[in-house]
């Protein structure tokens, strides 16, 4: 059997599995919804006893097949073959996880955890955001521009929920389930009353801080009440602050982002940013699979903050605008932004002269966001930010800020 026929049969098998039993039908529908993201699941959506001939393939042959698929399918949508390999069964998924590298190393997004891992150092990952005004939903897609056949690669989605004293953006892996008791919930963004300060919450701690703070976790539910696939914690990992525009001057909004979960040393020579390898597992494995009603979230205090006092957090600031004669503009978005808007911004690291950071690093744009259509915006990010962190920062730009404009 040729290599291409193996990949083709994997695709056909993915479409057929899921209708064997009543449970399989329910999970099959859930999986078909998840495949729109084209990201490999962390949990196999099929019965492991009904995987057929592919589950018992010799390990050496399996390793060779997955490695060849990974090397040949480097771009989307062809890269969906890698996702199919990770969706066959447990053995296939583990081998695929072993071969596929992190976005920092390969510049590609394959597994859900890739969305919380730092981006590549050399070149940014290009994404775009679609705004649905009717439903207050924001969808993050992978790619340079939207496709005509609507086969875009959905990465994350967020829903804006207005409250009396704040605004919440609940972030999920899918665009049709924004429950914070769902297994697809990954975090949220919350504003203050004026919309000048935002806090980014993650449902997991960075790998290097988890041990230090495990004894002081703030949970949204009791561990015996939560579904086996649901994380029960929220952690403050960053704050986004907008400066008040008391003089009503024209120009882009001025903002600062304090990334408490990313140390400043990550942009120094030899430094590294926290890279989680899996989603949190703070639950009781014997708990009931039924989801519980939404509980009231506890107030956030210092015990649930990831910031470690012994290390300096990375702070991002607006890139200083400089007039470009050829482009006739203040900021060079390199063709990725075509519509003027106060929402447009470029963020670089806020560096003190005493840090001795090279000028090239200081000028590197870590995150840029801008408008290209009525409800379409581009988002390009790179190391040390993750897709989740970059998306949350960009969401803060959509909230109303009368005091900043």
């Amino acid at each position: 059997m040729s290599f291409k026929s193996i990949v083709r049969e994997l695709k056909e098998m993915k479409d057929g599995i899921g209708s064997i039993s009543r449970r399989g039908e329910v999970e099959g529908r859930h999986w078909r919804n998840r495949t729109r993201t084209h990201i490999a699941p962390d949990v196999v959506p099929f019965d492991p006893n009904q995987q057929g001939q592919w589950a018992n393939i010799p390990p050496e042959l399996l390793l060779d097949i997955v490695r060849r698929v990974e090397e040949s399918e480097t771009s989307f949508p062809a890269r969906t073959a890698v996702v199919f390999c990770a969706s066959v069964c447990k053995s296939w998924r583990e081998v695929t996880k072993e071969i596929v590298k992190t976005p920092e190393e390969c510049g590609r997004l394959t597994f859900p955890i890739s969305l919380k891992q730092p981006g590549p150092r050399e070149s940014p990952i290009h994404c775009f955001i679609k705004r649905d005004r009717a439903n207050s939903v924001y969808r993050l897609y992978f790619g340079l521009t939207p496709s005509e056949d609507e086969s875009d690669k959905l990465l994350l989605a967020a829903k804006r929920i207005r409250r009396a004293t704040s605004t919440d953006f609940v972030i999920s892996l899918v665009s049709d389930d924004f429950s914070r008791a769902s297994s697809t919930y990954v975090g949220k963004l919350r504003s203050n009353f004026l919309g000048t300060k935002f806090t980014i919450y993650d449902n997991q701690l960075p790998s290097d801080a988890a041990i230090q703070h495990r004894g002081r976790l703030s949970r949204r539910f009791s561990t015996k009440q939560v579904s086996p696939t649901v994380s029960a914690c929220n952690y403050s990992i960053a704050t986004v602050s907008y400066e008040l525009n008391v003089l009503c001057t024209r120009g882009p909004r001025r903002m600062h982002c304090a990334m408490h979960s990313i140390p400043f040393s990550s942009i120094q020579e030899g430094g590294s940013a926290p890279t989680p390898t899996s989603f949190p597992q703070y639950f009781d494995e014997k708990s009931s699979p039924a989801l519980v009603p939404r509980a009231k979230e506890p107030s956030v205090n210092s015990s649930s903050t990831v910031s470690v006092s012994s290390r300096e957090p990375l702070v991002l600031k607006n890139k200083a605008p400089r007039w470009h004669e050829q482009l006739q503009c203040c900021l060079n978005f390199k063709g990725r932004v075509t519509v003027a808007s106060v929402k447009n911004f470029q963020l670089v690291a806020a560096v003190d002269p005493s840090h001795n950071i090279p000028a090239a690093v200081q000028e590197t744009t870590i995150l840029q966001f801008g408008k290209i259509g009525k409800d379409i915006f581009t988002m390009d990010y790179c190391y040390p930010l993750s897709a989740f962190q970059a998306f949350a920062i960009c969401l803060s730009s959509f909230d109303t800020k009368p005091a900043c404009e």
Side-chain angles (χ1 to χ4, degrees), residues 15-300:
D15 294 330
I17 296 178
S19 59
I20 300 174
S21 61
R22 185 173 182 272
R23 177 186 176 187
E25 290 177 0
V26 175
E27 294 178 334
R29 286 195 297 269
H30 176 69
W31 169 239
R32 284 191 289 274
N33 290 334
R34 288 292 300 276
T35 54
R36 291 187 59 189
T37 67
H38 296 286
I39 291 182
D42 278 347
V43 179
V44 178
F46 322 123
D47 185 351
N49 297 323
Q50 314 225 353
Q51 297 301 316
Q53 57 181 337
W54 298 107
N56 300 318
I57 193 170
E60 296 79 7
L61 178 58
L62 173 59
L63 185 66
D64 182 62
I65 291 175
V66 176
R67 181 179 289 112
R68 292 174 63 183
V69 172
E70 162 66 13
E71 293 175 353
S72 61
E73 313 293 354
T74 58
S75 61
F76 178 82
R79 190 166 171 77
T80 54
V82 180
V83 175
F84 296 150
C85 287
S87 308
V88 174
C89 61
K90 183 177 180 180
S91 58
W92 281 71
R93 187 175 70 258
E94 294 303 321
V95 169
T96 306
K97 282 186 175 182
E98 180 182 340
I99 293 176
V100 174
K101 298 179 181 180
T102 64
E104 181 182 350
E105 298 172 299
C106 67
R108 297 189 288 270
L109 303 171
T110 306
F111 294 96
I113 195 60
S114 302
L115 302 174
K116 290 193 175 183
Q117 295 174 336
R121 293 175 181 263
E122 301 299 328
S123 59
I125 292 180
H126 300 293
C127 308
F128 63 91
I129 298 173
K130 283 186 177 181
R131 175 174 57 184
D132 185 348
R133 294 175 182 265
N135 300 319
S136 297
V137 173
Y138 304 82
R139 297 177 175 88
L140 176 67
Y141 296 93
F142 174 80
L144 292 172
T145 56
S147 62
E148 296 181 357
D149 57 357
E150 297 185 354
S151 61
D152 301 315
K153 179 178 180 179
L154 177 66
L155 300 178
L156 291 168
K159 184 175 180 63
R160 182 168 62 181
I161 303 173
R162 295 189 181 277
R163 306 188 186 279
T165 59
S166 64
T167 300
D168 282 4
F169 290 84
V170 180
I171 305 174
S172 172
L173 290 172
V174 296
S175 60
D176 55 358
D177 185 2
F178 295 99
S179 170
R180 285 177 291 180
S182 171
S183 59
T184 60
Y185 170 78
V186 294
K188 70 175 183 179
L189 175 76
R190 170 169 290 181
S191 74
N192 63 357
F193 179 72
L194 294 176
T196 57
K197 185 175 182 180
F198 296 79
T199 305
I200 302 175
Y201 296 94
D202 198 342
N203 69 337
Q204 69 183 111
L205 278 168
S207 56
D208 62 341
I211 298 178
Q212 301 178 30
H213 291 265
R214 183 163 296 179
R216 297 183 290 171
L217 302 181
S218 61
R219 299 178 181 271
R220 290 183 287 117
F221 305 103
S222 170
T223 51
K224 294 186 178 181
Q225 291 179 312
V226 183
S227 166
T229 59
V230 176
S231 170
C233 304
N234 257 343
Y235 307 95
S236 170
I237 63 166
T239 54
V240 182
S241 302
Y242 288 82
E243 295 182 14
L244 297 178
N245 188 5
V246 293
L247 299 179
C248 298
T249 56
R250 299 182 62 183
R253 298 164 177 165
R254 293 184 292 273
M255 58 191 295
H256 286 80
C257 303
M259 310 303 299
H260 305 299
S261 61
I262 304 177
F264 179 82
S265 59
S266 63
I267 64 171
Q268 295 176 322
E269 185 177 357
S272 61
T275 305
T277 56
S278 62
F279 279 105
Q281 302 293 322
Y282 300 120
F283 50 72
D284 183 358
E285 295 182 355
K286 298 181 180 180
S287 58
S288 170
L291 294 179
V292 298
R294 183 180 298 177
K296 183 176 181 181
E297 189 170 313
S299 59
V300 180

Side-chain angles (χ1 to χ4, degrees), residues 231-368:
S231 170
C233 304
N234 257 343
Y235 307 95
S236 170
I237 63 166
T239 54
V240 182
S241 302
Y242 288 82
E243 295 182 14
L244 297 178
N245 188 5
V246 293
L247 299 179
C248 298
T249 56
R250 299 182 62 183
R253 298 164 177 165
R254 293 184 292 273
M255 58 191 295
H256 286 80
C257 303
M259 310 303 299
H260 305 299
S261 61
I262 304 177
F264 179 82
S265 59
S266 63
I267 64 171
Q268 295 176 322
E269 185 177 357
S272 61
T275 305
T277 56
S278 62
F279 279 105
Q281 302 293 322
Y282 300 120
F283 50 72
D284 183 358
E285 295 182 355
K286 298 181 180 180
S287 58
S288 170
L291 294 179
V292 298
R294 183 180 298 177
K296 183 176 181 181
E297 189 170 313
S299 59
V300 180
N301 51 49
S302 60
S303 65
S304 62
T305 303
V306 179
S307 179
V308 180
S309 59
S310 61
R311 65 179 186 180
E312 182 182 0
L314 175 67
V315 177
L316 305 179
K317 66 175 182 178
N318 289 86
K319 192 170 186 178
R322 297 176 183 174
W323 184 253
H324 198 289
E325 288 294 339
Q326 285 185 320
L327 300 176
Q328 292 294 299
C329 62
C330 293
L331 292 174
N332 182 10
F333 288 93
K334 299 182 179 180
R336 292 286 288 154
V337 177
T338 57
V339 180
S341 172
V342 294
K343 295 180 175 64
N344 301 347
F345 64 78
Q346 289 181 325
L347 296 183
V348 296
V351 178
D352 187 90
S354 62
H355 289 141
N356 296 322
I357 300 296
V361 176
Q362 298 183 37
E363 292 295 321
T364 299
T365 300
I366 297 177
L367 171 63
Q368 77 171 18

